[in-house]
């Protein structure tokens, strides 16, 4: 089933959409379960604590690379068959990780796994970019992918690692790759593409406004990484109890789910061309607020607000990418840009924080968030000036009325 064309987007059908979201969820499972699965490998003596961080970073960056080249890989022939092959390769990489005993072999195998995961993720982004409502597709995907990650973490912590050992997380991911093989069989045979009146080129895809939105996506996720990776440490240093910190992390994920679900149902959250600026400003203020309210109910409230709003940034960015590049090719790079931003945020912050002081991470996160908001306005203004028609309030030739 390849879907039906409707306007510039495609009605993919429920089954291929569900299959693509399953593949996208499988692709990012390594990120969602990394603290437990990688930490367990340290406990099992297969990695040192420092090597664990390097392996996770390498897999993340290679995943981003796979996402970048994935559209080209999947566009060269039968997409369904290639996805089946990549899912089988990912299964093999996870099985090899389960049996690997040396750090070098783990580096190599997890790098290969990251590449395969990136290609699978790109198929989800291709389906999203070519759909009739890319912003809503992205919001639904973000909501749907959160739940399996929460379930997987609970399964690892309560059942798999205690009963089957430290590397059982990769056995679980190998089993999930089998589901990926089945999901791949339900994907469209031909690569999906939006219908446009021109032949997309690199120059028409990555115009200056689109490039600026790409920068915004990276800055946003670098800022989110500054907050997320040091949330536990911030609370602990301020005297928060383990219950408070654990509750804050759990509420962040719950709020993220409801934020994505709300965005999927309420287009008004991201239909305004300046939504990214407004959200960035609010999130910058909330980020600074973490430094003043680090314990108790105030910490939990800020965590909920931040978790809810930060996930809405993604469909807002998709909206602008589709406006600036109607072919949807730029939008397929959403997740690679997201992953690079997360990696850059955690890497940069590691040079600023100490064991007893993580405040610089939050100041950096606030600054990056505000900078992203300003650049998003710049992107919109440049696109308006390049437009040949006058722009009525709230619309532009490249921005249809909601």
């Amino acid at each position: 089933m390849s879907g039906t064309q409707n306007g510039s987007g495609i009605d993919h059908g429920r089954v291929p959409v569900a299959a693509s979201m399953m593949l996208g969820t499988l692709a990012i499972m390594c990120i969602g379960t990394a603290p437990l699965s990688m930490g367990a490998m340290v406990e099992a003596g297969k990695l040192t604590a420092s090597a664990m961080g390097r392996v996770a970073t390498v897999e993340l960056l290679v995943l981003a690379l796979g996402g970048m080249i994935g559209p080209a890989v999947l566009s060269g022939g039968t997409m369904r068959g290639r996805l089946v092959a990549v899912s089988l390769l990912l299964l093999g990489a996870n099985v090899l990780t389960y049996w690997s005993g040396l750090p070098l072999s783990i580096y190599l195998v997890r790098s290969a796994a990251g590449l395969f995961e990136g290609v699978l993720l790109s198929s989800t982004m291709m389906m999203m970019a070519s759909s009739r409502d890319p912003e809503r597709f992205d919001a639904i995907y973000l909501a749907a992918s959160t739940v399996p990650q929460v379930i997987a973490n609970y399964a690892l912590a309560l059942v798999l690692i205690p009963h089957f050992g430290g590397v059982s997380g990769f056995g679980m991911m190998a089993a999930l790759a089998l589901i990926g093989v089945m999901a791949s069989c339900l994907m469209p045979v031909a690569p999906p593409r939006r219908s446009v009146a021109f032949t997309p080129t690199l120059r028409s895809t990555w115009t200056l406004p689109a490039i600026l939105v790409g920068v915004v996506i990276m800055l946003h996720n670098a800022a989110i990484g500054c907050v997320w990776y040091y949330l536990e440490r911030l609370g602990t240093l301020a005297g928060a109890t383990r219950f408070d910190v654990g509750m804050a992390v759990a509420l962040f994920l719950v709020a993220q789910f409801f934020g994505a679900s709300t965005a999927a149902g309420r287009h008004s959250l991201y239909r305004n061309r300046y939504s990214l600026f407004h959200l960035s400003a609010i999130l910058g203020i909330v980020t600074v607020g973490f430094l003043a309210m680090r314990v108790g109910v105030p910490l939990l409230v800020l965590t909920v607000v931040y978790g809810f709003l930060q996930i809405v940034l993604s469909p807002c960015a998709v909206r602008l990418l589709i406006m600036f590049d109607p072919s949807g090719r730029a939008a397929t790079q959403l997740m690679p840009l997201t992953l690079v931003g997360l990696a850059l945020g955690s890497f940069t912050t590691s040079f600023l924080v100490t064991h007893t002081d993580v405040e610089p991470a939050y100041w950096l996160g606030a600054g990056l968030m505000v900078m992203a908001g300003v650049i998003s306005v710049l992107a919109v203004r440049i696109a308006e000036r390049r437009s040949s028609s006058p722009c009525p309030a709230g619309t532009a030739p490249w921005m249809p009325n909601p």
Side-chain angles (χ1 to χ4, degrees):
M1 184 191 304
S2 59
T4 58
Q5 192 76 35
N6 189 320
S8 61
I10 300 173
D11 290 317
H12 290 297
R14 293 182 179 180
V15 173
V17 167
S20 70
M21 291 191 180
M22 291 174 66
L23 290 176
T25 301
L26 169 63
I28 62 173
M29 191 63 73
C30 66
I31 303 172
T33 61
L36 288 177
S37 58
M38 289 293 185
M41 294 191 78
V42 175
E43 293 295 328
K46 293 197 171 188
L47 290 173
T48 64
S50 58
M52 177 193 76
R54 289 192 290 268
V55 169
T57 301
V58 167
E59 182 171 0
L60 184 65
L61 292 176
V62 177
L63 199 162
L65 174 63
M68 290 176 184
I69 67 174
V73 172
L74 298 176
S75 295
T78 304
M79 184 174 77
R80 181 185 294 169
R82 295 190 179 200
L83 286 173
V84 170
V86 172
S87 297
L88 288 171
L89 289 171
L90 178 59
L91 187 156
N94 284 321
V95 170
L96 287 175
T97 305
Y98 187 89
W99 294 110
S100 294
L102 298 175
L104 179 59
S105 63
I106 294 174
Y107 270 105
L108 294 175
V109 172
R110 292 322 300 168
S111 296
L115 188 64
F116 304 143
E117 289 160 349
V119 174
L120 293 181
L121 183 60
S122 70
S123 70
T124 307
M125 295 297 100
M126 291 170 71
M127 292 286 283
M128 179 270 292
S130 61
S131 67
R132 290 187 60 196
D133 195 343
E135 307 95 317
R136 186 167 184 267
F137 187 113
D138 181 57
I140 294 174
Y141 165 63
L142 293 172
S145 63
T146 299
V147 177
Q149 292 182 69
V150 173
I151 295 173
N153 276 293
Y154 270 104
L156 283 171
L158 300 179
V159 180
L160 294 177
I161 293 176
H163 292 89
F164 301 101
V167 293
S168 58
F170 295 99
M172 177 192 72
M173 284 192 272
L176 292 175
L178 278 175
I179 299 177
V181 174
M182 293 183 283
S184 297
C185 294
L186 302 176
M187 291 288 283
V189 175
R193 295 182 178 89
R194 294 181 72 84
S195 176
V196 291
F198 57 91
T199 302
T201 63
L202 184 64
R203 185 175 180 181
S204 68
T205 297
W206 291 107
T207 59
L208 180 56
I211 291 173
L212 290 176
V213 175
V215 172
V216 167
I217 293 169
M218 288 193 289
L219 290 176
H220 275 152
N221 285 279
I224 292 167
C226 292
V227 172
W228 173 246
Y229 289 123
Y230 292 95
L231 183 60
E232 182 274 339
R233 192 64 187 156
L234 182 76
T236 299
L237 290 174
T241 64
R242 184 169 293 275
F243 174 82
D244 284 343
V245 174
M247 183 62 70
V249 172
L251 286 176
F252 186 99
L253 294 174
V254 171
Q256 176 174 288
F257 171 79
F258 282 106
S261 300
T262 302
R266 291 181 62 86
H267 288 68
S268 59
L269 283 176
Y270 49 79
R271 287 299 189 188
N272 187 290
R273 56 188 171 180
Y274 295 116
S275 292
L276 277 181
F277 172 74
H278 297 146
L279 287 170
S280 300
I282 296 171
L283 286 167
I285 294 170
V286 174
T287 302
V288 175
F290 276 110
L291 299 177
M293 295 177 280
R294 308 184 186 190
V295 295
V297 174
L299 172 65
L300 300 181
V301 171
L302 286 178
T303 301
V304 168
V305 173
Y306 195 95
F308 185 95
L309 294 179
Q310 58 85 25
I311 204 67
V312 184
L313 292 170
S314 185
C316 290
V318 170
R319 174 73 170 169
L320 291 184
L321 284 175
I322 294 295
M323 289 174 188
F324 300 154
D325 170 38
S327 74
R329 292 176 61 181
T332 64
Q333 300 302 313
L334 173 68
M335 286 305 294
L337 292 169
T338 297
L339 297 173
V340 170
L342 286 171
L344 289 176
S346 60
F347 178 75
T348 304
T349 308
S350 66
F351 294 100
L352 303 177
V353 300
T354 65
H355 187 68
T356 58
D357 182 19
V358 296
E359 280 193 16
Y362 285 78
W363 288 114
L364 176 63
L368 292 175
M369 194 63 75
V370 172
M371 186 186 304
V374 172
I375 295 176
S376 71
V377 173
L378 181 62
V380 171
R381 294 291 177 84
I382 291 175
E384 287 177 345
R385 289 185 178 182
R386 290 186 172 189
S387 175
S388 58
S389 302
C391 300
T395 65
W398 41 264
M399 179 179 178
N401 278 313

